[in-house]
């Protein structure tokens, strides 16, 4: 079974008097599979468009019912798959799959003739599909009753729905077909050329296309001007019926063989050998629906190019476009069928389209909303890093790219990076895609993608971002595959002018296990250190944390706390929490004196005088190690340590 050729749709099928009934029946079947004309049997001589019509049914049915399982196969392909299933012992699986099909399109059923075993299997399948109300569409070069050596039961069933034929197109239809083909290929002829071609009698549409192919070759490759007066001369006053070659893809193989023969005949008379090869390659790719810009430009060159390399590059680019189209089809079938994936000159555009498609479907992690720029305090110890971050916010990707911030744990790197990401989102109205992750998560996601076989999807999530922020990037060091992926991601974003912001616990040159190619890139922007909080910053942070704890600190308390050296912002928060709880336990206000005693280990009784045995006793005369306070709550009387 093969997928449906995206070129063959109702929109590209020219309707005339000779095929109008067949087209109407085909549309009815596509709009309501299994409801009318089941089976639909379309027959005609070779080259009149019955395969095109069958595939158009499949496309329209899928469009209207995306969940419908549509299968297309030629009889030869059906026989091959059946034979393989028998030889591999998977015949039951083969039957089960086919019986679950909602719309079966079977091409060239005349080749069932003489294949008795295949006919028996086809009869069983046909009965099963009809019993379950599934739609069957068949094509042949003759009506069912005229297929030799065909089981009478199959003839009866094939004839049990609607049998329609596709006739030879009339003059008007031939002109319409020629104009449609020229439009699809992007070629133009002077007025009257196509009318003259249509006047030449032809047995089928394929012969008509063969004549058009020859004129295209004459005009594009032979340097001969095609006019209404010389059309018959160029075509020999008649259209030659193409020689039937061994089918490669059925009718399409014959059509291409005819086109190629026409091109060879023309170019051999006028062009050098290398131009012949390029011309044949152009014909082949155009036949498959692909643009040939690189090959066309090569033909215009005055000197011969490296033809092998040129053709190999075209092959490689087309393969990449096909891969991208398959990936796009997982998310958006309409996009996968667009011209974007049939033009080698638009490869980078196609890649970005898929990246954005996948990235939009599975966006990477963003910055934490818990961190804001307004709540980030600035002092001499972090002033340079904050200034750099603010510059990035104003002009992402323009200056300080990459920005690498390093410092010991707890100095505020994570806060700053997440705040930077949130500011960019706010300024862009969330139109900007900001990825914010950490080194360990980056590694874990990569491992999961490798296990699940979704590495391309994982890459696409990050390649689509406008800003990449990785906290603790040093955790990628020593991990070969993670560094490999980070290297390519870095290059992709940097070359596109996207902003990159990184943090680590040390400078790039001090990170052990970091590959030199990453180290040099990290150092290529701005590397800035965030040091432990200085006195100015400690004052601001202590005041903020005390206010958050609903304390009203006096200046002496803030000055005292700020005078103490701390290693991180986290330590400041922990200190405030400890002091607030200690003051609550003792039941006194949080003052500089209390903080000093709590933090320096010289705790005394509360400042207010206490009454013992009916006498007021000043705290200065109490022995701190031998006092039992007179508290109303018995459970709280014995206290060994206030901390």
């Amino acid at each position: 079974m093969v997928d449906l050729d995206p070129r063959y749709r109702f929109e590209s099928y020219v309707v005339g008097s000779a095929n109008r009934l067949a087209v109407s029946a085909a549309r009815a079947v596509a709009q309501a599979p299994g409801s009318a004309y089941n089976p639909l049997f379309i027959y005609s001589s070779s080259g009149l468009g019955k395969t095109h019509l069958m595939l158009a049914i499949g496309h329209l049915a899928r469009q209207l019912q995306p969940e419908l399982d549509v299968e297309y196969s030629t009889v030869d392909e059906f026989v091959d798959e059946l034979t393989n299933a028998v030889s591999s012992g998977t015949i039951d699986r083969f039957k089960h799959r086919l019986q679950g099909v909602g719309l079966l399109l079977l091409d060239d059923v005349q080749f069932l003739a003489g294949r008795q075993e295949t006919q028996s299997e086809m009869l069983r399948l046909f009965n099963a599909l009809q019993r379950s109300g599934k739609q069957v569409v068949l094509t042949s070069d003759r009506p069912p009753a005229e297929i030799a050596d065909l089981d009478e039961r199959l003839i009866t069933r094939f004839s049990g729905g609607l049998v329609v034929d596709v006739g030879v197109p009339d003059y008007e239809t031939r002109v319409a077909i020629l104009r449609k083909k020229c439009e699809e290929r992007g070629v133009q002829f002077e007025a009257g050329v196509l009318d003259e071609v249509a006047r030449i009698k032809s047995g089928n549409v394929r012969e008509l296309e063969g004549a058009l192919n020859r004129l295209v070759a004459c005009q594009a490759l032979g340097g001969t001007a095609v006019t209404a007066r010389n059309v018959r001369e160029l075509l020999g006053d008649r259209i030659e019926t193409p020689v039937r070659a061994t089918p490669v893809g059925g009718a399409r193989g014959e059509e291409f063989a005819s086109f190629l023969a026409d091109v060879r005949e023309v170019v051999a008379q006028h062009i050098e050998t290398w131009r012949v090869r390029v011309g044949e390659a152009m014909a082949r790719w155009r036949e498959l629906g692909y643009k040939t810009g690189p090959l066309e430009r090569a033909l215009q060159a005055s000197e011969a190019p490296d033809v092998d390399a040129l053709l190999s590059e075209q092959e490689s680019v087309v393969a990449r476009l096909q891969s991208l189209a398959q990936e796009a089809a997982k998310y958006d079938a309409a996009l996968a069928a667009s011209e974007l994936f049939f033009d080698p000159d638009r490869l980078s555009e196609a890649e970005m389209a898929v990246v954005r498609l996948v990235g939009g479907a599975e966006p990477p992690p963003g910055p934490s909303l818990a961190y804001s720029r307004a709540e980030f305090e600035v002092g001499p110890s972090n002033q340079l890093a904050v200034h750099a971050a603010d510059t990035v916010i104003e002009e992402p990707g323009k200056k300080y790219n990459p920005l690498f911030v390093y410092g010991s744990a707890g100095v505020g790197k994570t806060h700053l990076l997440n705040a930077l990401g949130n500011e960019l989102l706010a300024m862009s109205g969330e139109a900007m895609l900001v990825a914010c992750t950490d080194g360990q998560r980056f590694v874990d996601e990569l491992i999961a993608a490798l296990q699940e076989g979704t590495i391309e999807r994982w890459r696409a999530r990050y390649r689509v971002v406008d800003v990449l922020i990785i906290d603790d990037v040093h955790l990628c060091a020593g991990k070969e595959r993670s560094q490999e992926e980070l290297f390519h991601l870095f290059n992709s974003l940097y070359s596109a002018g996207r902003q990159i912001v990184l943090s680590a616990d040390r400078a790039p040159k001090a990170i052990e296990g970091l590959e030199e190619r990453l180290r040099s890139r990290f150092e290529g922007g701005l590397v800035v250190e965030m040091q432990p909080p200085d006195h100015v910053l400690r004052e601001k942070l202590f005041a903020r944390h005390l206010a958050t704890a609903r304390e009203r600190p006096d200046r002496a308390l803030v000055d005292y706390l700020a005078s103490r050296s701390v290693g991180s912002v986290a330590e400041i928060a922990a200190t405030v929490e400890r002091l607030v709880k200690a003051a609550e336990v003792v039941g006194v206000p949080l003052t500089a004196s209390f903080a000093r005693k709590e933090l320096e280990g010289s705790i005394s009784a509360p400042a207010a005088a206490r009454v013992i045995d009916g006498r007021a006793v000043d705290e200065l005369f109490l022995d701190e190690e031998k006092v039992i306070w007179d508290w109303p709550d018995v459970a709280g009387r014995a206290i060994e340590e206030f901390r």
Side-chain angles (χ1 to χ4, degrees):
M1 299 292 174
V2 298
D3 202 3
L4 307 182
D5 191 313
R7 298 175 300 161
Y8 296 142
R9 301 175 182 271
F10 282 113
E11 292 81 358
S12 59
Y13 195 87
V14 179
V15 182
S17 59
N19 60 19
R20 184 168 286 107
L21 177 59
V23 173
S24 297
R27 280 190 175 276
V29 166
Q31 290 167 356
S35 300
Y37 312 142
N38 194 15
L40 174 63
F41 193 102
I42 306 171
Y43 73 94
S44 74
S45 300
S46 178
L48 291 177
K50 56 185 180 295
T51 298
H52 185 150
L53 197 54
M54 168 180 274
L55 295 175
I57 293 173
H59 281 299
L60 181 56
R62 278 183 177 172
Q63 179 182 337
L64 297 175
Q65 301 182 48
E67 74 283 356
L68 184 68
D69 188 359
V70 179
E71 290 278 0
Y72 165 80
S73 176
T74 65
V75 163
D76 286 336
E77 291 165 344
F78 179 85
V79 171
D80 289 343
E81 193 169 357
L82 175 61
T83 303
N84 292 335
V86 171
S87 61
S88 62
T90 58
I91 185 64
D92 290 337
R93 186 186 309 166
F94 173 73
K95 293 179 181 178
H96 180 73
R97 181 174 66 82
L98 286 180
Q99 289 173 6
V101 170
L103 171 58
L104 177 63
L105 309 172
L106 194 60
D107 208 2
D108 293 330
V109 297
Q110 72 271 12
F111 293 122
L112 284 172
R115 293 172 164 171
Q116 298 305 320
E117 293 183 4
T118 302
Q119 290 184 35
S120 298
E121 196 58 53
M122 176 60 69
L123 182 62
R124 296 189 191 94
L125 173 61
F126 195 96
N127 289 338
L129 291 175
Q130 281 211 318
R131 281 195 301 269
S132 57
K134 307 299 179 59
Q135 179 70 52
V136 179
V137 180
L138 309 159
T139 70
S140 174
D141 64 357
R142 66 204 75 175
E146 296 181 14
I147 301 176
D149 298 324
L150 186 63
D151 191 307
E152 187 64 33
R153 293 171 296 176
L154 279 179
I155 294 177
T156 302
R157 285 162 176 77
F158 289 173
S159 305
L162 176 64
V163 179
V164 293
D165 72 317
V166 177
V168 177
D170 53 28
Y171 167 76
E172 291 80 6
T173 305
R174 292 199 296 272
V175 173
I177 291 172
L178 289 169
R179 290 177 179 176
K180 189 74 172 179
K181 293 296 180 182
C182 286
E183 181 182 333
E184 291 174 356
R185 297 184 181 185
V187 298
Q188 292 182 336
F189 293 100
E190 71 172 41
V193 169
L194 299 183
D195 296 333
E196 192 63 30
V197 175
R199 290 190 182 95
I200 303 174
K201 291 186 178 180
S202 59
N204 58 50
V205 176
R206 195 168 300 134
E207 292 177 4
L208 202 62
E209 291 185 358
L212 182 62
N213 292 340
R214 183 172 177 81
L215 295 181
V216 171
C218 288
Q219 181 168 279
L221 304 177
T224 303
V226 179
T227 67
R229 293 184 298 276
N230 67 1
V231 164
R232 291 181 180 272
E233 178 185 347
L234 292 173
L235 296 178
D237 200 30
R238 63 191 179 89
I239 299 177
E240 298 288 346
T241 301
V243 178
R244 291 182 63 88
T246 301
V248 179
R252 291 176 57 198
E254 297 175 12
E255 182 182 340
F256 173 65
S258 171
F259 186 20
L260 202 56
D262 291 333
V263 172
R264 285 198 188 99
E265 182 178 343
V266 172
V267 299
Q269 300 172 9
H270 303 277
I271 311 175
E272 305 148 272
T273 303
W274 73 268
R275 293 184 183 273
V276 173
R277 292 184 61 195
V278 174
E280 289 180 348
M282 288 173 58
R284 178 165 69 93
W285 290 119
R286 284 174 176 172
E287 177 63 20
L288 295 174
Y290 290 93
K291 300 290 183 65
T292 56
L295 303 183
E296 293 169 16
R297 290 190 291 273
L299 279 179
Q300 296 172 2
S302 57
E303 297 182 359
D306 184 339
V307 178
D308 290 334
L310 179 67
L311 300 185
S312 176
E313 177 66 17
Q314 175 80 4
E315 192 90 28
S316 175
V317 172
V318 169
R320 175 61 177 157
L321 287 171
Q322 291 172 339
S323 174
L324 290 170
Q326 291 174 359
E327 183 67 18
K330 298 175 183 177
Y331 302 90
D332 188 339
L335 176 62
S338 73
E339 292 184 0
L340 186 64
F341 298 98
F342 291 87
D343 189 348
D345 285 331
R346 301 176 69 185
L347 175 60
S348 59
E349 189 179 344
E351 289 179 330
M352 185 51 62
V354 173
V355 164
R356 292 194 176 279
L357 186 65
V358 177
E362 302 175 12
S368 171
L369 298 178
Y371 300 103
S372 71
R373 173 64 184 87
E375 295 179 352
F376 192 89
E377 299 291 353
V378 184
S381 58
N382 63 14
Q383 188 172 8
L384 181 58
V386 175
H387 172 73
D390 288 342
T391 301
V392 166
I393 292 169
E394 293 174 3
E395 295 183 293
K398 304 295 184 182
K399 195 174 183 181
Y400 305 149
N401 194 19
L403 172 61
F404 191 102
V405 180
Y406 74 95
S408 57
V411 296
K413 303 187 301 296
T414 299
H415 188 150
L416 182 61
L417 266 61
N418 279 270
L420 183 153
N422 285 320
E423 282 295 303
L424 289 172
L425 286 174
M427 292 181 63
S428 68
E430 298 195 358
M432 186 175 289
L433 184 56
V434 178
C436 187
T437 186
D438 60 75
Q440 189 57 55
R441 183 173 182 177
F442 186 86
V443 173
D444 292 341
E445 284 183 353
L446 172 59
I447 294 172
L450 293 171
Q451 290 175 331
E452 298 166 5
T454 57
I455 185 66
E456 288 297 334
R457 192 176 307 165
W458 176 81
R459 288 170 178 159
R461 294 178 67 201
Y462 285 98
R463 286 181 58 197
V464 72
V465 303
D466 299 297
V467 180
L468 174 66
I469 300 172
I470 302 182
D471 193 17
D472 291 334
V473 73
H474 58 273
L475 296 177
C476 294
K479 302 174 178 67
E480 295 179 1
R481 183 59 185 269
S482 297
Q483 293 190 82
E484 175 76 15
E485 294 295 337
L486 181 55
F487 171 75
H488 292 298
L489 175 60
F490 187 105
N491 287 345
S492 175
L493 297 178
Y494 184 82
S495 62
R498 313 291 175 80
Q499 180 67 51
I500 301 169
V501 182
L502 310 165
S503 79
D505 61 358
R506 71 207 81 166
K509 62 183 179 182
I511 301 176
E512 296 181 3
L514 183 65
E515 294 180 0
E516 187 58 37
R517 56 181 178 172
L518 282 177
R519 191 190 317 277
S520 63
R521 282 162 174 77
F522 292 172
E523 293 176 340
L526 175 65
V527 178
V528 57
E529 181 181 9
M530 288 181 67
Q531 298 176 342
D534 57 86
H535 189 278
V536 174
L537 183 56
R538 292 197 296 269
E539 283 185 342
K540 294 180 179 180
L541 290 171
F542 273 116
R544 175 181 288 276
H545 283 286
L546 287 166
T548 302
R550 297 183 179 179
E551 293 288 336
R552 293 185 177 180
D554 56 29
R555 186 64 195 175
L557 174 60
V558 173
D559 288 344
Y560 165 69
L561 293 175
S563 68
R564 294 171 53 82
S565 177
V566 296
S568 68
V569 176
E571 187 177 339
I572 291 175
T575 299
V576 171
E577 182 179 5
R578 171 185 170 184
L579 292 174
V580 170
K581 287 183 178 180
E584 289 176 353
V585 169
V586 179
V588 298
L590 177 54
T591 62
S593 174
F594 181 85
R596 180 178 292 105
K597 294 169 184 177
E598 170 67 17
L599 297 176
E600 296 178 11
S602 57
I603 302 176
S604 62
R610 297 293 180 178
V611 177
I612 299 178
D613 295 333
R615 294 181 297 125
V617 182
D618 191 279
E619 65 172 335
L620 298 177
F621 298 94
L622 295 177
D623 185 340
E624 293 179 343
E625 297 181 358
K626 299 180 180 179
V627 172
I628 297 179
W629 298 101
D630 184 16
W631 286 3
D633 185 1
V634 177
R637 288 181 181 176
I639 300 178
E640 294 181 359
E641 185 177 30
F642 293 121
R643 307 184 210 189

PDB file of all heavy atoms in Angstrom, residues 471-482:
ATOM      1  N   ASP A 471      20.258  27.827  32.579  1.00  0.00           N
ATOM      2  CA  ASP A 471      20.860  28.033  33.890  1.00  0.00           C
ATOM      3  C   ASP A 471      21.721  26.810  34.229  1.00  0.00           C
ATOM      4  O   ASP A 471      21.390  25.681  33.843  1.00  0.00           O
ATOM      5  CB  ASP A 471      19.736  28.212  34.917  1.00  0.00           C
ATOM      6  CG  ASP A 471      20.230  28.749  36.242  1.00  0.00           C
ATOM      7  OD1 ASP A 471      21.346  29.287  36.287  1.00  0.00           O
ATOM      8  OD2 ASP A 471      19.474  28.634  37.230  1.00  0.00           O
ATOM      9  N   ASP A 472      22.813  27.027  34.945  1.00  0.00           N
ATOM     10  CA  ASP A 472      23.706  25.925  35.340  1.00  0.00           C
ATOM     11  C   ASP A 472      24.130  25.095  34.139  1.00  0.00           C
ATOM     12  O   ASP A 472      24.050  23.863  34.136  1.00  0.00           O
ATOM     13  CB  ASP A 472      23.014  25.028  36.374  1.00  0.00           C
ATOM     14  CG  ASP A 472      22.825  25.716  37.713  1.00  0.00           C
ATOM     15  OD1 ASP A 472      23.615  26.640  38.008  1.00  0.00           O
ATOM     16  OD2 ASP A 472      21.900  25.350  38.449  1.00  0.00           O
ATOM     17  N   VAL A 473      24.601  25.768  33.105  1.00  0.00           N
ATOM     18  CA  VAL A 473      24.994  25.068  31.879  1.00  0.00           C
ATOM     19  C   VAL A 473      26.205  24.170  32.111  1.00  0.00           C
ATOM     20  O   VAL A 473      26.474  23.250  31.325  1.00  0.00           O
ATOM     21  CB  VAL A 473      25.264  26.097  30.754  1.00  0.00           C
ATOM     22  CG1 VAL A 473      26.573  26.841  31.012  1.00  0.00           C
ATOM     23  CG2 VAL A 473      25.279  25.424  29.398  1.00  0.00           C
ATOM     24  N   HIS A 474      26.926  24.385  33.205  1.00  0.00           N
ATOM     25  CA  HIS A 474      28.093  23.547  33.498  1.00  0.00           C
ATOM     26  C   HIS A 474      27.701  22.090  33.728  1.00  0.00           C
ATOM     27  O   HIS A 474      28.550  21.198  33.662  1.00  0.00           O
ATOM     28  CB  HIS A 474      28.834  24.084  34.733  1.00  0.00           C
ATOM     29  CG  HIS A 474      27.992  24.153  35.963  1.00  0.00           C
ATOM     30  ND1 HIS A 474      27.204  25.246  36.276  1.00  0.00           N
ATOM     31  CD2 HIS A 474      27.793  23.258  36.966  1.00  0.00           C
ATOM     32  CE1 HIS A 474      26.574  25.021  37.409  1.00  0.00           C
ATOM     33  NE2 HIS A 474      26.902  23.824  37.859  1.00  0.00           N
ATOM     34  N   LEU A 475      26.409  21.832  33.990  1.00  0.00           N
ATOM     35  CA  LEU A 475      25.959  20.453  34.203  1.00  0.00           C
ATOM     36  C   LEU A 475      25.955  19.644  32.908  1.00  0.00           C
ATOM     37  O   LEU A 475      25.784  18.426  32.938  1.00  0.00           O
ATOM     38  CB  LEU A 475      24.557  20.445  34.828  1.00  0.00           C
ATOM     39  CG  LEU A 475      24.463  21.059  36.227  1.00  0.00           C
ATOM     40  CD1 LEU A 475      23.025  21.073  36.714  1.00  0.00           C
ATOM     41  CD2 LEU A 475      25.351  20.300  37.207  1.00  0.00           C
ATOM     42  N   CYS A 476      26.129  20.325  31.756  1.00  0.00           N
ATOM     43  CA  CYS A 476      26.251  19.617  30.470  1.00  0.00           C
ATOM     44  C   CYS A 476      27.684  19.154  30.226  1.00  0.00           C
ATOM     45  O   CYS A 476      27.922  18.325  29.332  1.00  0.00           O
ATOM     46  CB  CYS A 476      25.813  20.520  29.316  1.00  0.00           C
ATOM     47  SG  CYS A 476      24.060  20.951  29.329  1.00  0.00           S
ATOM     48  N   ALA A 477      28.637  19.696  30.979  1.00  0.00           N
ATOM     49  CA  ALA A 477      30.046  19.352  30.777  1.00  0.00           C
ATOM     50  C   ALA A 477      30.274  17.872  31.038  1.00  0.00           C
ATOM     51  O   ALA A 477      29.676  17.285  31.946  1.00  0.00           O
ATOM     52  CB  ALA A 477      30.929  20.200  31.685  1.00  0.00           C
ATOM     53  N   GLY A 478      31.132  17.283  30.218  1.00  0.00           N
ATOM     54  CA  GLY A 478      31.461  15.870  30.380  1.00  0.00           C
ATOM     55  C   GLY A 478      30.460  14.926  29.743  1.00  0.00           C
ATOM     56  O   GLY A 478      30.657  13.713  29.758  1.00  0.00           O
ATOM     57  N   LYS A 479      29.383  15.464  29.178  1.00  0.00           N
ATOM     58  CA  LYS A 479      28.355  14.638  28.535  1.00  0.00           C
ATOM     59  C   LYS A 479      28.443  14.894  27.035  1.00  0.00           C
ATOM     60  O   LYS A 479      27.986  15.918  26.533  1.00  0.00           O
ATOM     61  CB  LYS A 479      26.976  14.977  29.086  1.00  0.00           C
ATOM     62  CG  LYS A 479      26.891  14.786  30.608  1.00  0.00           C
ATOM     63  CD  LYS A 479      25.561  15.275  31.145  1.00  0.00           C
ATOM     64  CE  LYS A 479      25.451  15.032  32.646  1.00  0.00           C
ATOM     65  NZ  LYS A 479      26.384  15.848  33.428  1.00  0.00           N
ATOM     66  N   GLU A 480      29.013  13.953  26.307  1.00  0.00           N
ATOM     67  CA  GLU A 480      29.378  14.168  24.911  1.00  0.00           C
ATOM     68  C   GLU A 480      28.174  14.508  24.036  1.00  0.00           C
ATOM     69  O   GLU A 480      28.202  15.474  23.278  1.00  0.00           O
ATOM     70  CB  GLU A 480      30.094  12.934  24.358  1.00  0.00           C
ATOM     71  CG  GLU A 480      31.429  12.656  25.035  1.00  0.00           C
ATOM     72  CD  GLU A 480      32.101  11.416  24.490  1.00  0.00           C
ATOM     73  OE1 GLU A 480      31.529  10.791  23.565  1.00  0.00           O
ATOM     74  OE2 GLU A 480      33.191  11.068  24.971  1.00  0.00           O
ATOM     75  N   ARG A 481      27.114  13.695  24.123  1.00  0.00           N
ATOM     76  CA  ARG A 481      25.976  13.925  23.234  1.00  0.00           C
ATOM     77  C   ARG A 481      25.262  15.236  23.576  1.00  0.00           C
ATOM     78  O   ARG A 481      24.815  15.970  22.681  1.00  0.00           O
ATOM     79  CB  ARG A 481      24.988  12.755  23.326  1.00  0.00           C
ATOM     80  CG  ARG A 481      23.787  12.861  22.374  1.00  0.00           C
ATOM     81  CD  ARG A 481      24.242  12.927  20.923  1.00  0.00           C
ATOM     82  NE  ARG A 481      23.134  13.139  20.022  1.00  0.00           N
ATOM     83  CZ  ARG A 481      22.434  12.157  19.444  1.00  0.00           C
ATOM     84  NH1 ARG A 481      22.755  10.893  19.681  1.00  0.00           N
ATOM     85  NH2 ARG A 481      21.437  12.422  18.624  1.00  0.00           N
ATOM     86  N   SER A 482      25.171  15.551  24.851  1.00  0.00           N
ATOM     87  CA  SER A 482      24.532  16.809  25.249  1.00  0.00           C
ATOM     88  C   SER A 482      25.303  18.004  24.701  1.00  0.00           C
ATOM     89  O   SER A 482      24.705  18.976  24.212  1.00  0.00           O
ATOM     90  CB  SER A 482      24.442  16.897  26.773  1.00  0.00           C
ATOM     91  OG  SER A 482      23.629  15.874  27.294  1.00  0.00           O
TER      92      SER A 482
END
